[in-house]
Amino acid sequence: MNDFKAEPEALIAAELQAVERVLRSGWYVLGEEGRKFESLWSQYCGTSHTVGVGNGMDAIEIGLRALDIGPGDEVITTAMTAFASVLAIIRAGATPVLADINPDTGLLSQESVRRCINQRTKAVLLVHLYGQIRNMQSWVDLCDQHQLALLEDCAQAHLAQVEGKVAGSFGRFGAYSFYPTKNLGAIGDGGALVTLEPALADKAAVLRNYGQSVRYYHPEFGLNSRLDEIQAALLTVRLGWLEQYTSHRQSIAAQYRQQLNNPYVRLMQAPTEPLAHVYHLFVVLTEHREALQTHLQASGVQALIHYPVPIHHQEKCKDILRDPAGLQFSEAHALQCLSLPCHPQMSEQDVQAVIGAVNRFAP
């Protein structure tokens, strides 16, 4: 699914130089490297502020706390996401409410969200699952209509854009993860909150650093969640490769869409615009998932499941609030989704090997 050892020597050499630069600087936390990366990432995202944090989950929690969304407040999100999306809401003290998905895209269903809205609802956390963004103006309109904060979980959607606007720039804030497997990945953990609101960014910067405004003065109960200088320097280097890598992912996905042809394997809906999907994952649906995964493995192709257990089936979340009409599309998706390899180190031979293996499959 990923092949970090196959990354270009030029990239590795530049990363080593960046690490050496930090080591020789003698400054390892909240320094010039972090500020440089934050400025660059804001430019890429079309936002005025970036606050580097320890990971993507912290970015969501810090954003919620910066908006004073906590105990007594409800945040609607999807049952089909990484557990961190919901855990961040819980850690902020708010109550997550799960809405269902659109079965053709895997993304949050507006119809389901509307059924979940009540007087306690304060926000909708929209997860740009698999790297795709869709219908953003309608989400902005929905949240405006109900006076809700639109929040974006962009952990898989680096550089995804519609109508010239990038993921994270539509809502009150966008939360990014830089976990190594992400489209823009660090060599370890990392994350960022992006926003167009100066006051929100200022409060987030205080919260990430123990709630400290200036040294030894703590107007907030914060947490320790800072993007360190080495990871910031590495991300700055890797950012220079992101557009090229994204284009390669999209090229692989285009070949899959054109050449995969198996009656037992269903493709998900194509993006509305060429740049609206950055293919952190290329996901297919099949009622024969275990057999297909076994067949692919025997053909030398790794395939993984993202995510086999919807949030409300997790042991700690069985009583979680949810759409009163149920979450049947999320449950069906969790039983059928399978991710095929789609990463920048894949060669044309690799791509054709995946296509051939999938097309040969019969249960």
Side-chain angles (χ1 to χ4, degrees):
M1 293 294 295
N2 292 282
D3 189 4
F4 296 125
K5 289 184 178 180
E7 290 191 323
E9 283 298 321
L11 171 57
I12 294 170
E15 290 175 317
L16 290 171
Q17 290 175 2
V19 172
E20 181 178 10
R21 184 173 69 246
V22 174
L23 292 177
R24 294 191 182 281
S25 77
W27 195 298
Y28 308 137
V29 178
L30 295 182
E32 188 56 38
E33 296 288 349
R35 288 188 288 273
K36 178 181 178 182
F37 173 73
E38 288 173 342
S39 177
L40 284 171
W41 191 234
S42 291
Q43 293 175 36
Y44 274 82
C45 294
T47 58
S48 51
H49 300 278
T50 292
V51 181
V53 298
N55 53 72
M57 186 180 80
D58 285 358
I60 298 173
E61 178 186 350
I62 288 170
L64 287 166
R65 292 178 61 182
L67 291 172
D68 294 319
I69 296 175
D73 299 330
E74 293 183 0
V75 178
I76 300 171
T77 193
T78 172
M80 184 48 54
T81 184
F83 194 69
S85 303
V86 172
L87 183 56
I89 297 170
I90 294 169
R91 284 174 54 90
T95 300
V97 180
L98 302 181
D100 210 356
I101 62 170
N102 179 319
D104 296 321
T105 65
L107 298 177
L108 201 55
S109 159
Q110 279 198 22
E111 180 183 355
S112 180
V113 167
R114 288 182 186 276
R115 289 194 292 267
C116 296
I117 296 173
N118 60 52
Q119 68 274 16
R120 294 181 298 277
T121 309
K122 291 294 186 291
V124 174
L125 178 62
L126 194 61
V127 178
H128 300 313
L129 192 69
Y130 305 145
Q132 57 183 323
I133 58 175
R134 296 173 183 264
N135 305 320
M136 291 308 300
Q137 188 56 52
S138 65
W139 283 108
V140 171
D141 294 343
L142 173 68
C143 288
D144 286 348
Q145 177 188 350
H146 294 276
Q147 296 183 304
L148 305 176
L150 176 61
L151 315 176
E152 299 177 69
D153 182 341
C154 309
Q156 301 182 349
H158 307 73
L159 294 193
Q161 57 183 288
V162 289
E163 298 181 355
K165 290 188 65 175
V166 177
S169 66
F170 294 89
R172 300 290 303 276
F173 70 79
Y176 279 94
S177 167
F178 303 125
Y179 186 76
T181 59
K182 303 302 184 185
N183 290 29
L184 178 62
I187 315 299
D189 270 321
L193 177 150
V194 299
T195 183
L196 290 161
E197 302 179 28
L200 194 159
D202 289 345
K203 189 168 182 181
V206 168
L207 288 169
R208 73 174 173 183
N209 191 30
Y210 313 124
Q212 180 174 254
S213 55
V214 294
R215 197 172 188 187
Y216 302 126
Y217 288 86
H218 299 259
E220 303 283 349
F221 288 121
L223 57 158
N224 180 8
S225 182
R226 301 170 299 210
L227 182 65
D228 69 65
E229 290 290 277
I230 286 180
Q231 296 302 343
L234 289 167
L235 285 166
T236 297
V237 172
R238 299 182 70 83
L239 187 51
W241 293 71
L242 180 57
E243 289 177 306
Q244 172 187 334
Y245 277 0
T246 300
S247 178
H248 190 49
R249 288 178 185 270
Q250 291 165 334
S251 173
I252 294 168
Q255 291 186 74
Y256 285 167
R257 290 194 176 278
Q258 292 165 4
Q259 299 179 43
L260 288 176
N261 182 22
N262 188 313
Y264 302 106
V265 179
R266 181 161 65 93
L267 301 184
M268 301 194 69
Q269 192 175 94
T272 54
E273 296 182 24
L275 301 180
H277 203 325
V278 294
Y279 293 99
H280 171 65
L281 296 170
F282 190 96
V283 176
V284 297
L285 302 173
T286 177
E287 295 178 359
H288 311 278
R289 183 170 66 192
E290 184 177 353
L292 176 57
Q293 191 174 23
T294 301
H295 163 78
L296 291 175
Q297 189 66 44
S299 302
V301 176
Q302 184 182 40
L304 298 178
I305 304 168
H306 304 86
Y307 302 91
V309 185
I311 298 298
H312 60 296
H313 287 180
Q314 298 288 349
E315 185 62 34
K316 290 289 188 179
C317 296
K318 290 185 176 178
D319 296 324
I320 199 168
L321 297 178
R322 65 197 73 172
D323 181 348
L327 301 169
Q328 61 268 30
F329 292 127
S330 298
E331 292 166 359
H333 188 91
L335 291 173
Q336 296 184 15
C337 58
L338 187 67
S339 302
L340 302 180
C342 185
H343 63 81
Q345 284 71 52
M346 290 180 71
S347 66
E348 179 62 24
Q349 183 178 357
D350 294 333
V351 175
Q352 291 303 316
V354 175
I355 292 169
V358 173
N359 287 345
R360 287 193 303 272
F361 170 70

